[in-house]
Amino acid sequence: MSNAIQVQKLKKSYGSQTVLKGIDFQINAGEVFALLGVNGAGKTTTLECIEGLRKYDSGIITVNGKMGIQLQSSSLPAHIKPMEAVKLFAKWNKTKIDYSMLYTLGIKEIEKKRYIQLSTGQKRRLHLALALIGNPDIIFLDEPTAGLDVEGRLSLHEQIRKLNAQGKTIVLASHDMAEVETLCDRIAILNDGDMVFCGTVSELTDKIGKKYLIHIKTQQGNNTFETDNIENTLLSLLSELKHKGIEVLDIKVDRGSLEQHFIEISRRA
């Protein structure tokens, strides 16, 4: 499988603070890839170095394809209208406007408003549309659903799936673990400037151990227990509750989520 992006020994410091400590990873062409990490882990710096928006101290970055970028924080002139911005970007990119894409992202609904009148969610949808105008091979989305309502999030997720089905490579930075687990083929986790994991969610589960949550409801309330062994833990809990004369009203078992795995591997790192 060919690489859309190859990052080797990437280092970046701000004064005496080292943000990236020589990270290595690659993103396959045609996959949805997520870059995860707590605030200050180096996610946005990594993306900005790849996008060419920030200089790095050392390392090699290879990008194979045209990039489209939706930044975490973007702005346009206060009085420009969405369709004016779309036409301007289309002219810069020497391409035709994809009106079906604009309709999917809800741009036609706000075309007569001025930028200053748009909500946070509407602005994010507009900036995503502008990132897609040049028909890029690789699309960077930094916190793309921040500020969007449920309908807007679902619409954006569907758009991401359609873009990926067209062979586009999607690079996603997000704090929404459910979103990442739903959309992404592989994930990379940054912690304090180091790459502590890169692979699939299943590979992450194998690395840190299978985690399960047992939720038990009794007349005294609800309790949740974490375990690697459902059978032994459940039998032990039920035996203890029976010995105490506590009636069990309901039991639910959940597989450990990506968020729990992320917290666990970050804690270990």
Side-chain angles (χ1 to χ4, degrees):
M1 184 177 293
S2 61
N3 291 333
I5 297 170
Q6 178 80 38
V7 177
Q8 298 171 285
K9 307 300 181 184
L10 181 61
K11 293 184 179 181
K12 173 63 182 176
S13 298
Y14 298 107
S16 60
Q17 181 185 5
T18 302
V19 178
L20 299 175
K21 301 176 180 178
I23 62 173
D24 296 275
F25 66 98
Q26 72 280 334
I27 300 174
N28 300 322
E31 76 173 341
V32 183
F33 184 92
L35 193 60
L36 308 178
V38 298
N39 289 334
K43 300 187 304 297
T44 297
T45 295
T46 300
L47 292 182
E48 289 177 346
C49 288
I50 297 172
E51 294 160 353
L53 300 176
R54 188 172 298 279
K55 292 183 178 180
Y56 47 95
D57 301 330
S58 62
I60 299 173
I61 298 175
T62 305
V63 178
N64 299 312
K66 185 178 181 180
M67 296 186 291
I69 303 167
Q70 182 203 32
L71 299 174
Q72 186 176 13
S73 179
S74 304
S75 185
L76 290 170
H79 296 288
I80 195 171
K81 294 180 180 180
M83 285 307 299
E84 290 174 342
V86 168
K87 291 175 181 178
L88 181 60
F89 273 63
K91 187 173 183 179
W92 281 343
N93 285 275
K94 298 179 181 179
T95 187
K96 293 182 179 180
I97 298 173
D98 182 354
Y99 287 97
S100 64
M101 178 270 290
L102 298 180
Y103 178 80
T104 300
L105 292 177
I107 304 304
K108 294 293 289 181
E109 301 169 6
I110 59 174
E111 63 178 337
K112 295 183 180 180
K113 291 186 177 182
R114 299 191 182 277
Y115 186 78
I116 197 173
Q117 299 173 314
L118 302 180
S119 68
T120 299
Q122 290 171 336
K123 288 178 179 178
R124 296 195 74 81
R125 291 203 302 268
L126 174 58
H127 286 291
L128 175 57
L130 297 179
L132 297 177
I133 280 177
N135 191 27
D137 306 298
I138 306 168
I139 303 164
F140 292 87
L141 305 176
D142 197 350
E143 300 293 344
T145 56
L148 295 183
D149 57 19
V150 174
E151 184 178 356
R153 290 163 62 87
L154 293 175
S155 176
L156 179 58
H157 289 175
E158 183 61 27
Q159 184 68 25
I160 290 173
R161 292 188 182 96
K162 287 180 179 179
L163 290 167
N164 185 236
Q166 295 169 14
K168 307 291 187 183
T169 303
I170 313 293
V171 184
L172 182 72
S174 176
H175 284 97
D176 188 332
M177 296 298 166
E179 176 176 82
V180 169
E181 193 165 11
T182 298
L183 294 172
C184 296
D185 301 305
R186 291 193 306 135
I187 61 174
I189 299 177
L190 283 171
N191 188 284
D192 194 28
D194 289 315
M195 184 68 69
V196 296
F197 176 80
C198 186
T200 65
V201 174
S202 296
E203 289 169 345
L204 177 59
T205 301
D206 293 338
K207 181 172 182 176
I208 69 171
K210 293 183 178 179
K211 298 290 182 180
Y212 300 93
L213 296 178
I214 299 175
H215 309 279
I216 297 182
K217 181 180 180 180
T218 68
Q219 292 177 330
Q220 297 181 354
N222 299 319
N223 288 286
T224 298
F225 305 89
E226 183 178 297
T227 181
D228 294 325
N229 189 309
I230 297 175
E231 183 180 6
N232 290 343
T233 303
L234 187 56
L235 288 174
S236 176
L237 289 170
L238 291 176
S239 177
E240 181 180 353
L241 291 170
K242 184 176 181 181
H243 179 73
K244 293 180 179 179
I246 299 175
E247 182 182 358
V248 176
L249 302 178
D250 190 29
I251 296 175
K252 181 181 178 182
V253 178
D254 288 331
R255 176 180 63 84
S257 66
L258 174 59
E259 183 172 9
Q260 292 161 340
H261 296 336
F262 168 73
I263 292 171
E264 175 66 17
I265 199 166
S266 296
R267 182 188 64 79
R268 292 184 185 182

